[in-house]
Amino acid sequence: MLQPPHSSLQVAAVPAQRVAARDRDQDAPWHTEAVCRRDEAGLFFAPSKEPTAARLSREEAAKRVCARCPVMVECREHALLQPEPYGVWGGLTAAERRVVLARRRRREMELKKAARQNRIAAAG
Ligand code: SF4
């Protein structure tokens, strides 16, 4: 799985000898253009036991960074397709991504149902 471009806190937990291998094997082309690659402020992932007001403020700050990122679309699709369960990716929080995924699933089901009805109508 691709490491988040903004995972400085997680990267800090990776043993040094594994960092180079991780970067070589898992970086996607868009990853290198991420403006959050060095997230020293820790904006993109919640620290443990973060109060709600602090979380909302941090997420808004992260989204402002995403808004000026040249690879926002690629990042968002990556996070939706994995799916990435935590953090802000492509300008969306984890909760917002769940909403997008639920809408996509609903839309897919509607399209399949319509196709099935069309086949039945064509056969009958
Ligand atoms: S869209 Fe946001 S989370 Fe994704 S790479 Fe850009 S700054 Fe990072």
Side-chain angles (χ1 to χ4, degrees):
M1 185 166 75
L2 186 67
Q3 289 293 317
H6 46 263
S7 64
S8 61
L9 297 177
Q10 293 180 356
V11 169
V14 176
Q17 66 271 24
R18 296 192 57 203
V19 170
R22 182 210 62 219
D23 287 347
R24 183 187 63 239
D25 296 341
Q26 298 182 335
D27 269 6
W30 63 268
H31 215 237
T32 58
E33 296 180 51
V35 300
C36 61
R37 243 179 122 70
R38 296 182 190 276
D39 175 31
E40 281 88 4
L43 291 177
F44 293 85
F45 289 95
S48 63
K49 299 180 181 173
E50 183 179 40
T52 301
R55 175 179 57 79
L56 294 173
S57 172
R58 178 185 52 74
E59 288 175 344
E60 286 307 312
K63 288 179 179 186
R64 285 194 293 276
V65 175
C66 294
R68 60 183 172 81
C69 180
V71 292
M72 188 170 83
V73 172
E74 294 87 342
C75 175
R76 181 177 293 186
E77 276 308 303
H78 159 82
L80 290 167
L81 291 175
Q82 282 300 311
E84 296 288 354
Y86 305 109
V88 173
W89 291 77
L92 297 177
T93 64
E96 291 166 337
R97 291 194 302 277
R98 285 193 293 274
V99 171
V100 170
L101 287 171
R103 279 194 197 128
R104 283 187 181 181
R105 278 193 295 272
R106 211 167 27 249
R107 180 77 181 131
E108 272 178 35
M109 286 172 49
E110 289 168 0
L111 289 172
K112 282 181 185 173
K113 184 178 174 184
R116 196 168 41 245
Q117 288 171 341
N118 285 343
R119 278 196 305 274
I120 291 169

